[in-house]
Amino acid sequence: MGVNAELQTDLAIGQKLASSAEDISNSLIQIETLLSKLVPAQDVVTFDQALYGLFVVFVGALSAYLFNYFHWKMESKKNRLSALSAALTSLINELESASVLYWLTPYESGSQQETQALEIQIKSNRQLSSRYIRSISRQLSARQYDSVKKELEDFDQEMFDLITGDGFESQSRVVSKNKAAKISKRCVSIKAAIITL
């Protein structure tokens, strides 16, 4: 009984599939008939019609090319600005970390090498961040970014004054928690501005 029931079920499914295929075939024939009645038949294509068709194809292809080109240029600029912003943020993190550590650590003759290494790192990070700021400023041409450009340029000058003032690279340098806090606060502020780009 089990094998017989399975065969009958398979037979019923096969019949339903055949019936569905026939229904689909009939529907397609009806659609074809309807479309042939709606579209008038033209046996001859004139030269003007062929030329117009070629013109439409050419204009469509040119439009697609120009759209893709300008879209690619915008995406390229956006990606370049995004990469510069990410690099500058990372550099500011390093500059903040080194500067805060430098101004919270007293100068001791036993730790001269560590202090000099921090000084070198601070100077090179500041120079590099200054170059990144100039590169980003050149990328920001729209008026909507004028305030961010000014903030970046102000940051560059303020950081130079904050970090290298009051005995930087001097053995008589005094630990300054206040200066370290100002440096950190200013770095956080500029990183928030960079995020808006």
Side-chain angles (χ1 to χ4, degrees), residues 5 23-24 30 47 52 70 80 82 90 119 122 163 188 195:
D23 289 345
I24 291 172
Q30 287 176 355
F47 178 74
Y52 178 74
F70 288 117
R80 191 170 43 251
S82 179
S90 176
E119 291 168 350
I122 288 167
I163 294 170
V188 168
I195 289 173

Side-chain angles (χ1 to χ4, degrees), residues 68-86:
N68 284 334
Y69 176 76
F70 288 117
H71 178 72
W72 174 78
K73 290 287 276 184
M74 283 178 17
E75 285 297 313
S76 176
K77 183 177 180 180
K78 191 187 326 179
N79 289 340
R80 191 170 43 251
L81 182 61
S82 179
L84 282 170
S85 298

Side-chain angles (χ1 to χ4, degrees), residues 69 71 86 96 110 118 124 126 149 168 196:
Y69 176 76
H71 178 72
E96 177 186 8
L118 277 176
S124 63
R126 215 207 61 71
K149 280 169 63 172
F168 183 76
T196 65

Side-chain angles (χ1 to χ4, degrees), residues 33 38 41 43-44 69 73 81 89 92 98 102 134 136 152 184:
T33 305
L38 292 176
D43 294 336
V44 180
Y69 176 76
K73 290 287 276 184
L81 182 61
T89 300
I92 288 171
Y102 180 79
R134 284 194 299 272
I136 289 174
L152 284 168
S184 184

Side-chain angles (χ1 to χ4, degrees), residues 120-137:
I120 291 168
Q121 182 184 358
I122 288 167
K123 288 192 292 186
S124 63
N125 282 354
R126 215 207 61 71
Q127 286 177 345
L128 194 54
S129 69
S130 183
R131 287 185 182 165
Y132 274 103
I133 286 170
R134 284 194 299 272
S135 293
I136 289 174
S137 292

